[in-house]
Amino acid sequence: MTVKLGIPSKGRLMDKTFDWFGARGIQLAKSGAEREYAGAVEGVEGLELVLLSAGEIPRELAAGRIQLGVTGSDLVREKLANWSLRVEEMTRMGFGGADLVVAVPQAWVDVDTLDDLDAVAAAFRATHGFRLRIATKYHRLVRDFLREHGVADYQLVDSQGATEGVVRNETAEAVADITSTGETLRANGLKVLTDGLIHASQATLYRSRTANMSNEDRRILEDVLERVGL
């Protein structure tokens, strides 16, 4: 039997994940051509590497098709309702950090907090006859966050491209987006609300709560977790 470990298939997240496991005695590598999504493992018998997009990994974990997976904690929370019932957070890995934040135009000099945003949203609707638009790719996380903080009279609009540019293009009045440094937001005339941090994301190792596992699978899983210090 085998235990499947889902890893992001490209970029820095893949490289850093390979380094993280390698430092703990489990060697991971892409096998074959650059565009081939197969992997090789040395160090644990019965562990199989599956290369997926970071956004696919939460779904594969929740469906039980992989037993372990590495992805951003923002993606798990966004893509899985009641995520903690479907996957277990094993450890945060210390890289891939980025913040999901609410940002508004710098020209809104009197808007610095969520309470300010709520007041502006009410005034905006009264003036324009439609709700203030917040562009984002993270509808579940943003909706839950704004509800918890009492912000009303807004609508979420889906952002397909570069979210930080939608205010300048006048397709939204505010954004909720992932940022590492805030520089891109500032370059597009936006500022983060002082209490606008929705989620501080980083690469995280998750275990599926739904995967069917034999006794041998459990032994392999325990071996993997022990080798990485869990």
Side-chain angles (χ1 to χ4, degrees):
M1 301 298 289
T2 60
V3 167
K4 293 183 177 180
L5 167 64
I7 297 293
S9 59
K10 59 185 178 181
R12 288 189 47 140
L13 207 52
M14 182 188 74
D15 295 337
K16 292 277 191 181
T17 301
F18 284 2
D19 291 344
W20 190 90
F21 277 96
R24 290 157 178 81
I26 301 176
Q27 303 300 321
L28 308 176
K30 264 191 172 181
S31 60
E34 178 64 27
R35 294 183 178 274
E36 189 175 312
Y37 294 115
V41 179
E42 292 181 8
V44 177
E45 193 69 32
L47 181 64
E48 179 183 340
L49 178 60
V50 182
L51 294 167
L52 300 162
S53 73
E56 288 177 302
I57 290 171
R59 182 188 65 218
E60 295 300 295
L61 284 164
R65 289 188 286 266
I66 59 176
Q67 289 90 348
L68 291 169
V70 174
T71 191
S73 53
D74 58 319
L75 294 174
V76 165
R77 286 159 173 78
E78 174 62 23
K79 292 179 177 294
L80 301 181
N82 300 314
W83 68 270
S84 60
L85 300 179
R86 304 164 76 184
V87 300
E88 179 183 0
E89 184 178 292
M90 303 306 296
T91 188
R92 299 179 182 185
M93 301 171 75
F95 58 87
D99 293 339
L100 178 60
V101 298
V102 180
V104 301
Q106 293 168 1
W108 294 7
V109 293
D110 295 327
V111 181
D112 291 308
T113 68
L114 291 165
D115 282 347
D116 297 337
L117 179 63
D118 184 50
V120 164
F124 184 93
R125 188 177 187 186
T127 301
H128 297 280
F130 64 93
R131 295 174 188 262
L132 182 144
R133 298 165 296 177
I134 302 175
T136 189
K137 297 180 176 75
Y138 293 85
H139 289 243
R140 186 195 308 277
L141 279 169
V142 175
R143 190 181 303 109
D144 290 350
F145 177 78
L146 294 178
R147 184 189 304 118
E148 288 170 11
H149 290 82
V151 179
D153 279 332
Y154 70 91
Q155 60 176 317
L156 296 182
V157 295
D158 197 39
S159 170
Q160 298 294 338
T163 302
E164 62 274 0
V166 297
V167 173
R168 185 164 284 173
N169 295 335
E170 299 185 353
T171 54
E173 286 69 51
V175 305
D177 200 16
I178 283 283
T179 182
S180 296
T181 65
E183 288 183 13
T184 304
L185 291 172
R186 288 190 291 273
N188 282 274
L190 299 170
K191 62 179 179 179
V192 178
L193 296 180
T194 56
D195 54 356
L197 174 63
I198 299 171
H199 177 65
S201 180
Q202 66 174 287
T204 303
L205 176 64
Y206 292 94
R207 178 182 70 84
S208 172
R209 293 189 185 274
T210 62
N212 292 321
M213 299 185 68
S214 66
N215 288 335
E216 179 62 14
D217 291 337
R218 290 188 181 90
R219 186 199 64 75
I220 296 167
L221 181 63
E222 288 171 5
D223 188 13
V224 173
L225 295 178
E226 183 177 343
R227 284 172 180 266
V228 300
L230 300 174

